Amino acid sequence: MFVAMNDDELDRIFRALADPTRRKIIDRLREQPDQSLFQICAMSVAEGGKALSRQAITQHLDMLQNAGLLHVSWSGRTKIHSLDLKPLREAADIWFRKHLLEGENP
Amino acid sequence: MRIYVTSVFVDDQSKALDFYTRILGFKVKNDVPLGEYRWLTVVSPEAPEGTELLLEPGEHPAVQPYKTALVEDGIPATSFQVDDVDAEYDRLLSLGVSFTVEPMDAGPVRMVVFDDTCGNLIQLIEMKGG
């Protein structure tokens, strides 16, 4: 049965997206799934982006996870992150698409 | 002041000795019995008088939570320098070493991370253009 997202869930998703670092993490995990915290930090160094502490990255990952956008699994004893885009698709379906497809205006 | 020794906490000193010498290629520098454990250090054959690596028994109760937390986040406990990361990666892979980070560029270095089988992740780095 399809249960529509409530406002709290939509808030968590949109809030998770409302930050350039978190959007960057999503972009990176899209290109290269299954990354540890260390790898996500290393990728951020590799791209020459803004230097962020591990603690800061951990907080960003927590927000993405609370929004349901991260899938966390284990490789041996190491925690591995990848994207779960289902909640994003659902949020797009019930909010963006409503306005973009049904709107009469250009 | 000089850094003459640095350490990694290992689950088992004998197993660590095997991995750090036979697989990684370090040489034993000091092996002194100390009660239940040993003062066990290795050095690089490229720098036998250089900094020693102490294979330190991890029996203190704080050690295991510390190691577990580092491994959980994929963070290496220590880092060694090599001239050619890709060549070392191939060599260690053929010896059955398990990698958590495949060769990748990170700013001024190229690196890999592997499991030392003694409860630690170890980073190898190559200075690019160096």
Side-chain angles (χ1 to χ4, degrees), chain A residues 32 34-39 41-48 54 58 74-81, chain B residues 64 67-68 71-76 100-102 104-108 111 113 115 118-121 123:
Chain A
Q32 220 178 333
D34 299 330
Q35 302 284 307
S36 68
L37 172 64
F38 176 78
Q39 285 169 295
C41 295
M43 283 195 293
S44 119
V45 172
E47 286 180 358
R54 281 185 188 131
T58 300
W74 292 85
S75 167
R77 294 176 298 125
T78 301
K79 209 169 157 188
I80 297 296
H81 309 79
Chain B
Q64 199 52 54
K67 289 172 70 173
T68 301
V71 171
E72 177 173 326
D73 284 339
I75 298 170
T100 61
V101 179
E102 310 281 305
M104 69 170 281
D105 292 313
M111 67 157 187
V113 179
D115 183 336
C118 304
N120 304 293
L121 300 177
Q123 181 180 43

Side-chain angles (χ1 to χ4, degrees), chain B residues 15-27:
Chain B
K15 191 177 168 192
L17 181 60
D18 180 64
F19 185 86
Y20 280 80
T21 55
R22 190 174 56 83
I23 306 285
L24 296 189
F26 294 139
K27 302 287 177 212

